[in-house]
Amino acid sequence: MSDFTGDNLVLFPKTLDYYQIQLTRMLETERYGEAKGLLDFLLKCGGEAERHHTEWQALLGWLEAAFPEATATGLPGEEADGAEEEEEDAESVLRQRVLDRAAEDPAYLQRLISILFDDEDPEQQLLALGQMTHLPGPEAEAALRRWLSERERHPLVQFRALQLLRRFGAEGTAVVLRDGEALALEIEETPLSFEDFPQAVLEVPERLSRMAEVSDPALSYFADEMWRECVQAAYGSNVFKWMMEADDGASDLWAAALHQHLQEKLHGQTGDESTREQYGITGELRFRYEQALRWLRAYGADTV
């Protein structure tokens, strides 16, 4: 991943939001090495990301000066030695900090809930959810249910709230507003990690990776990130039900549509004949592929 440059990697707005959220969380949990690695990566990105380069460069300079001993880890998606242990240590530190604050201040949970409802910044909402993770109970569960059903929110934060309800042991359905529709979702079925999604969903980036391995290996990495975002944004909707279909050709048509969409976004390639030929998109698959591609294009346009 280290050979990515601003010339060939452009972040979608919601993917950019996701990385901003992750960066804030890394700083909150004092994972400065990971933050340095993520900033290095973001500074190589073009498009919308370029507007934030000055801010990110200043933050990276501060981290280098304040925490020189913190070594930058690999780029997002790469495995680094000890990364899992570092994540666990950071989570343990955060948990103890939250518990200490809650013990000192009986209204601490309510303040986190207020941030969730009143702050429109998804980064701040995600930080509040991260701290609420360590304060389970009826008050937190009721607040999450109310927040999800009150109005539409950032889909990545909505999904994290659903995951938190499941971790709390909540049962039954949660009403989530998504794209003008009220979705009644079973909390116990919420995936806690990407690997928990149906096999048909997991096969899409794997299929694309095999196809792009030689011709455009960088596309494979970005496809994985984009697909995870799309799956979370669509979770529970009719589109998601279509994504997880296990019938023959479903993973091919979504992989082809994702491949073509990224070719258009990253390289300006509009013709899709070669993509359809590469994935064997013919007959009935052609119509369904075009539907999937239209959804991906509309989703990308809505995030601008």
Side-chain angles (χ1 to χ4, degrees):
M1 306 305 173
S2 58
D3 61 348
F4 283 176
T5 69
D7 292 333
N8 63 10
L9 182 58
V10 179
L11 297 183
F12 291 96
K14 281 192 177 177
T15 304
L16 180 58
D17 288 345
Y18 171 78
Y19 283 138
Q20 291 272 49
I21 290 169
Q22 292 303 305
L23 179 60
T24 301
R25 180 161 174 75
M26 289 172 187
L27 296 174
E28 175 74 11
T29 55
E30 301 178 4
R31 289 147 54 198
Y32 300 125
E34 291 183 54
K36 287 181 182 180
L38 179 54
L39 285 167
D40 283 337
F41 166 75
L42 291 172
L43 286 167
K44 295 184 176 91
C45 299
E48 282 286 309
E50 293 179 3
R51 296 191 295 110
H52 302 275
H53 280 189
T54 301
E55 170 193 345
W56 290 335
Q57 190 63 64
L59 178 56
L60 181 58
W62 175 79
L63 286 172
E64 294 286 6
F67 307 100
E69 73 285 356
T71 304
T73 61
L75 299 181
E78 292 183 339
E79 293 295 329
D81 291 339
E84 186 174 342
E85 289 81 0
E86 183 178 349
E87 172 73 21
E88 291 176 357
D89 290 343
E91 197 63 31
S92 179
V93 169
L94 176 60
R95 179 178 183 277
Q96 191 57 53
R97 183 182 301 165
V98 170
L99 292 177
D100 289 344
R101 289 175 179 173
E104 296 170 1
D105 180 6
Y108 189 65
L109 174 59
Q110 186 54 53
R111 281 212 286 274
L112 293 176
I113 292 172
S114 295
I115 291 173
L116 195 61
F117 277 86
D118 300 335
D119 199 315
E120 297 299 320
D121 185 349
E123 293 182 21
Q124 295 303 313
Q125 292 174 342
L126 194 58
L127 284 173
L129 287 175
Q131 296 188 49
M132 287 174 65
T133 300
H134 306 295
L135 300 172
E139 184 179 3
E141 179 182 334
L144 289 174
R145 289 179 179 274
R146 193 168 70 253
W147 182 80
L148 285 168
S149 64
E150 184 181 71
R151 59 186 176 85
E152 294 199 23
R153 313 281 187 174
H154 193 294
L156 296 178
V157 188
Q158 284 182 324
F159 187 74
R160 184 66 62 84
L162 282 170
Q163 289 180 316
L164 187 49
L165 279 173
R166 181 177 173 184
R167 290 192 174 98
F168 281 169
E171 298 178 345
T173 61
V175 176
V176 179
L177 298 185
R178 182 76 58 82
D179 297 327
E181 183 181 2
L183 306 175
L185 305 180
E186 294 293 333
I187 295 171
E188 298 95 325
E189 296 178 1
T190 305
L192 293 179
S193 69
F194 183 67
E195 290 69 27
D196 291 336
F197 279 97
Q199 184 60 34
V201 170
L202 301 181
E203 287 175 356
V204 171
E206 294 174 0
R207 181 83 169 102
L208 188 149
S209 179
R210 291 194 295 271
M211 287 296 185
E213 186 175 6
V214 176
S215 61
D216 193 350
L219 191 71
S220 174
Y221 165 74
F222 192 66
D224 186 69
E225 294 297 319
M226 182 61 184
W227 182 244
R228 290 174 185 240
E229 178 185 325
C230 287
V231 169
Q232 293 181 19
Y235 182 72
S237 68
N238 288 329
V239 171
F240 179 76
K241 294 175 184 176
W242 180 22
M243 287 177 174
M244 63 180 187
E245 286 181 1
D247 63 317
D248 292 340
S251 60
D252 278 340
L253 74 89
W254 276 106
L258 182 63
H259 193 140
Q260 178 61 27
H261 183 53
L262 290 173
Q263 291 277 33
E264 293 171 358
K265 287 290 186 180
L266 301 180
H267 305 308
Q269 178 179 321
T270 55
D272 69 347
E273 184 176 352
S274 62
T275 301
R276 288 187 285 105
E277 182 178 349
Q278 190 176 12
Y279 287 87
I281 303 300
T282 58
E284 182 185 350
L285 282 182
R286 171 75 179 273
F287 174 71
R288 298 173 66 199
Y289 153 81
E290 290 176 349
Q291 285 183 309
L293 183 56
R294 278 197 297 272
W295 184 86
L296 290 171
R297 285 170 174 164
Y299 175 71
D302 287 344
T303 62
V304 176

